[in-house]
Amino acid sequence: GGGLMGGLLVGLVARLDPMKDHATFLDGAEQLVADGFRGHFLLVGEGLEADGAFLGAQLRRRPALAGRVHGLGRRDDMTAINSALDLAVSTSIGEGFSNTIGEAMACETPVVATDVGDAALIIGATGRLIPPGDPAALARTVAELAALEPAARQDLGRQARERMRSRFSLDRIMDDHGRFWEDMVGGDMMP
């Protein structure tokens, strides 16, 4: 992306489901465009095809988003898509451990997510948390990250990837379990 409020690509990866709250994402996008944001918005997931009924109806209600919101539907090349995004967004109103947040972070993409489920634990200081159902907070937060120098945004992305690698990688989880079992059955408990 480039410059102040520049042409960034902001994506939401989530199947069409009321819990994912696509309307808040689109309301936030509409606010950003009204405020002069020049970027584009990508919606990826089942039910979010460009020619689908949901997206058609949503965009008719928000004419300012014409040509700025791109529905890709369900995709199998999520690493490429996550890597292409400048910012990933999650507007979920309820969530456990969100794989989509972790997948974006693993691709060095900073995340703006609603503060639900484990989002705070996953993201740490590498992205931003917003209240659920608050398009104004979404718009403000995306604008704040868009206004960063590209190098600063890339640095957040690198921190996000490192956080995923060091805290949540399979190797780390296996190591932790290994130590747990050693503590349980090793040492003094051996005959």
Side-chain angles (χ1 to χ4, degrees), residues 18-180:
M19 291 297 280
K20 305 297 182 185
D21 196 7
H22 289 85
T24 286
F25 178 81
L26 292 166
D27 286 342
E30 188 176 40
Q31 182 63 55
L32 278 158
V33 168
D35 292 342
F37 181 75
R38 293 196 308 275
H40 285 251
F41 304 91
L42 207 55
L43 291 169
V44 186
E46 193 101 33
L48 295 158
E49 295 70 25
D51 56 358
F54 173 79
L55 214 46
Q58 294 291 316
L59 295 179
R60 277 193 296 280
R61 290 215 298 275
R62 300 175 181 86
L65 293 180
R68 304 290 286 280
V69 171
H70 311 279
L72 295 188
R74 191 177 176 287
R75 292 286 290 252
D76 294 321
D77 54 342
M78 285 316 305
T79 299
I81 287 170
N82 276 314
S83 297
L85 296 177
D86 292 293
L87 294 172
V89 170
S90 171
T91 46
S92 288
I93 55 179
E95 191 79 73
F97 187 101
S98 169
N99 287 330
T100 56
I101 291 176
E103 286 162 13
M105 289 171 62
C107 292
E108 297 194 6
T109 302
V111 175
V112 175
T114 46
D115 191 0
V116 297
D118 291 328
L121 169 76
I122 301 169
I123 294 168
T126 71
R128 300 285 187 274
L129 295 170
I130 56 172
D134 189 341
L138 175 61
R140 221 173 23 249
T141 306
V142 169
E144 172 196 320
L145 290 173
L148 291 176
E149 290 296 318
R153 217 172 23 252
Q154 285 155 11
D155 192 47
L156 274 180
R158 274 192 296 274
Q159 291 171 32
R161 180 184 170 88
E162 176 55 29
R163 183 172 176 86
M164 287 311 296
R165 197 194 61 72
S166 64
R167 295 203 165 209
F168 301 111
S169 76
L170 192 57
D171 290 346
R172 166 69 193 267
I173 291 164
M174 293 307 289
D175 282 351
D176 287 350
H177 280 289
R179 276 195 295 278
F180 171 76

